[in-house]
Amino acid sequence: MATLKEKVGLLAQVPLFAACSPAELNHVAYLADERDVTAGEVLIREGDVGGDFFLVVEGTVRVTKRGEELRELGPGAFFGELALLDLGPRTATVTAITDMRLLTIAPRGLASMLMEHPTVALKMLRTLSERLRSVEDRLT
C-alpha cells in the first residue's frame, strides 16, 4: 500500500500535476486510491462516459482506438485525464497486459478539491493547453 508521501512522489512526475506545489500535491494525493488489476482487465472502454484518472505504478497497459493498437504504457504513465475533467466519452480502450498496481482519482473528489484549491485547477488547465498545442503542432 502506497503511503501519502509515495503518492505525492508519483503524482509529481505526472505532467498534469507537475506544476503543483508540495502542499497542492498532498491534497491531490489524499484523493488517490490504490487499485490492483489483473492482466486482461479492461480499465477504460472507448465511447463509455468517463470518470477516473489512472496512474500506472506497476505493470503495463495497451491503448487501442477502433481496435487498432496505439501504444503500450508502463510505470509512470497516466491516462484518463480528459474524462476526469469533462466526464466526456473515453477516446480509447485501455486494457491491462500484466497484473498491475494503479493510483486512481475519481472526478467527484477532484472537483471538490479544485473548488477549495483553485490554483491547482489553473495549473492543470495550463498543462492541458500545452498538450493540446503540442498535438495541434504535430497535426499541422
Side-chain angles (χ1 to χ4, degrees):
M1 196 78 160
T3 65
L4 187 64
K5 185 177 180 179
E6 290 169 331
K7 290 178 183 181
V8 167
L10 291 166
L11 290 167
Q13 298 172 35
V14 175
L16 190 62
F17 303 113
C20 292
S21 71
E24 292 167 335
L25 283 171
N26 269 322
H27 292 293
V28 177
Y30 180 76
L31 300 172
D33 292 319
E34 196 166 345
R35 179 174 167 195
D36 292 322
V37 173
T38 57
E41 185 174 335
V42 176
L43 302 167
I44 290 175
R45 193 171 310 279
E46 185 177 355
D48 285 358
V49 174
D52 290 358
F53 166 85
F54 299 85
L55 171 62
V56 179
V57 177
E58 296 172 1
T60 308
V61 296
R62 176 175 294 115
V63 181
T64 59
K65 186 169 184 76
R66 294 184 206 106
E68 291 189 35
E69 184 174 336
L70 300 178
R71 68 186 64 86
E72 290 184 5
L73 302 173
F78 61 95
F79 51 95
E81 69 276 14
L82 293 178
L84 176 67
L85 296 171
D86 73 1
L87 301 178
R90 299 294 193 166
T91 60
T93 296
V94 180
T95 307
I97 297 172
T98 64
D99 289 347
M100 305 185 69
R101 188 164 60 109
L102 303 164
L103 290 182
T104 64
I105 299 175
R108 176 179 286 173
L110 184 70
S112 64
M113 191 273 300
L114 292 177
M115 297 291 280
E116 293 177 35
H117 304 281
T119 56
V120 176
L122 181 59
K123 291 172 183 180
M124 291 173 68
L125 287 171
R126 285 185 181 142
T127 301
L128 287 172
S129 294
E130 289 169 8
R131 290 183 76 184
L132 181 58
R133 286 182 192 279
S134 173
V135 169
E136 286 178 342
D137 287 346
R138 285 191 302 235
L139 293 175
T140 57

